[in-house]
Amino acid sequence: MSNAVPERFNAFRIHNDDQGYRSGLESVSLDDLAPGEVVIKASYSSVNYKDALAGTGKGKILRRFPLVGGIDVAGHVVASTDPAFKEGDRVLATGSGLSETRDGGYSEFTRLESKWAIPLPAGLELRESMIIGTAGFTAALALFRMVENRQKPAMGPLAVTGASGGVGSLAIDIFSRAGFEVHAISGKQDQHAYLKGLGATEVLGRDALAPGRAMESARFGGGLDNVGGPMLTSLLAQCAPYGNVASAGLAASAELDATVMPFIIRGVSLLGVASAGTARDVREAVWQHLASDWKPAHLDTICTREATLEELPEVFNNMLAGGSLGRTLIRI
């Protein structure tokens, strides 16, 4: 064990056993954590919808128990058996099995597999990287896939559903930084100024994607859907020829009741965005964009709350009740 790691430290751990499903702060040792080549002293993590589901048991996220929660983490290396990482290096990790099959980032010290530890790119601070976190990585990965499939600003505005959430807020900022016009779609009337401040040209109510015909007039060049269900169906029906719609969430529904008409008449593409298992080369390319030409310009606005490990249960409940706006940063 590295001299820099104390015998015991605090972690937010999740159990599911004879005593039921429960989570909270515990004293743990490095030996309690999943194996890995790199040990970091964690500085920051964040709260994603998946974290709230895992921490409360409202969703089946964890594949084994007990596990430390938190799908994101950033900090400094304190010990490494991989020569690619040395003491003092700043690294981040998002997804990659954290808080699913291995211990996550809600811990004063985290042990990572080196294949998932990403050196913090020049142009980003640790704090910024966790305001971005899985939410921003997901939004940027969606754009990466859309651009790879020939999405261009000239094709029309990109719609973003669930716009006031973490992924949605960062998507507006990232897409507009990349040169696209963005139309935010949100049911939260009181957040229009917030969304325009992030770069949305227009803010539309949910009725813009109300259920309609299998094909509607082309209104959007493409978009990112965080909601699922009828809104995704409607977005596909309103997408311009050869536009791309990225699917990244199911805040409203996991169902998709659609027809093949947009695909076979307009050549629309539906792209899946699964951020957790993204290949290393794509992961590094996306983070390079996030540190440079796609770096969100409004991170301090998007970070609407900073909290501690002790405050996680209250943050989870608020998020699941639909009360969260933007991103919550966790200071460790």
Side-chain angles (χ1 to χ4, degrees):
M1 187 184 289
S2 162
N3 294 331
V5 184
E7 285 285 321
R8 313 286 300 179
F9 49 88
N10 285 329
F12 187 90
R13 214 166 183 212
I14 303 165
H15 296 262
N16 189 11
D17 54 27
D18 296 344
Q19 296 171 52
Y21 200 105
R22 63 199 189 284
S23 60
L25 270 191
E26 288 179 29
S27 171
V28 299
S29 73
L30 201 58
D31 293 337
D32 292 326
L33 303 183
E37 299 80 18
V38 180
V39 180
I40 69 164
K41 185 179 193 324
S43 301
Y44 298 100
S45 182
S46 71
V47 183
N48 302 280
Y49 197 71
K50 202 170 173 182
D51 293 313
L53 292 173
T56 58
K58 297 280 170 60
K60 291 184 177 175
I61 306 298
L62 274 61
R63 307 283 182 84
R64 63 187 187 84
F65 297 88
L67 277 185
V68 175
I71 63 174
D72 295 342
V73 70
H76 294 85
V77 174
V78 292
S80 173
T81 57
D82 184 328
F85 295 93
K86 61 183 188 302
E87 202 172 318
D89 284 354
R90 299 187 299 168
V91 299
L92 65 92
T94 59
S96 318
L98 295 178
S99 187
E100 189 175 338
T101 56
R102 54 180 296 113
D103 293 289
Y106 293 158
S107 178
E108 292 175 335
F109 292 85
T110 306
R111 190 152 56 181
L112 302 171
E113 290 179 287
S114 57
K115 66 182 178 181
W116 300 122
I118 302 290
L120 186 75
L124 270 187
E125 295 300 324
L126 288 172
R127 182 177 182 277
E128 293 175 321
S129 78
M130 287 295 98
I131 297 173
I132 294 169
T134 283
F137 179 77
T138 300
L141 179 60
L143 183 59
F144 187 87
R145 292 214 63 198
M146 287 192 272
V147 170
E148 210 171 37
N149 207 36
R150 303 176 65 85
Q151 189 76 37
K152 293 181 173 59
M155 294 162 71
L158 295 179
V160 175
T161 67
S164 65
V167 178
S169 296
L170 283 154
I172 293 166
D173 204 336
I174 291 164
F175 295 178
S176 56
R177 282 276 284 147
F180 289 86
E181 182 180 337
V182 184
H183 289 187
I185 294 165
S186 174
K188 295 183 177 174
Q189 292 287 330
D190 56 337
Q191 300 306 338
H192 284 210
Y194 165 77
L195 297 170
K196 287 208 163 178
L198 300 182
T201 311
E202 287 193 34
V203 182
L204 309 170
R206 289 180 185 145
D207 55 348
L209 292 180
R213 296 171 300 182
M215 293 277 283
E216 300 277 3
S217 299
R219 183 175 187 177
F220 305 107
L224 169 60
D225 175 61
N226 296 297
V227 176
M231 289 184 81
L232 175 53
T233 303
S234 183
L235 181 51
L236 289 166
Q238 295 186 50
C239 190
Y242 295 97
N244 297 280
V245 174
S247 171
L250 41 66
S253 172
E255 300 296 317
L256 180 60
D257 181 12
T259 77
V260 297
M261 304 293 270
F263 310 132
I264 64 176
I265 294 175
R266 287 194 185 140
V268 170
S269 294
L270 177 59
L271 305 177
V273 182
S275 61
T278 308
R280 172 92 194 201
D281 60 330
V282 175
R283 195 176 284 274
E284 289 187 334
V286 170
W287 277 108
Q288 286 301 328
H289 278 299
L290 283 165
S292 55
D293 54 333
W294 294 357
K295 183 177 179 180
H298 306 93
L299 288 174
D300 286 335
T301 305
I302 291 169
C303 181
T304 54
R305 180 171 182 186
E306 291 193 30
T308 62
L309 291 175
E310 288 87 350
E311 294 171 295
L312 280 169
E314 187 251 321
V315 173
F316 293 158
N317 289 331
N318 186 49
M319 178 174 271
L320 294 179
S324 61
L325 173 72
R327 292 279 284 159
T328 297
L329 183 73
I330 300 299
R331 292 190 312 276
I332 300 178

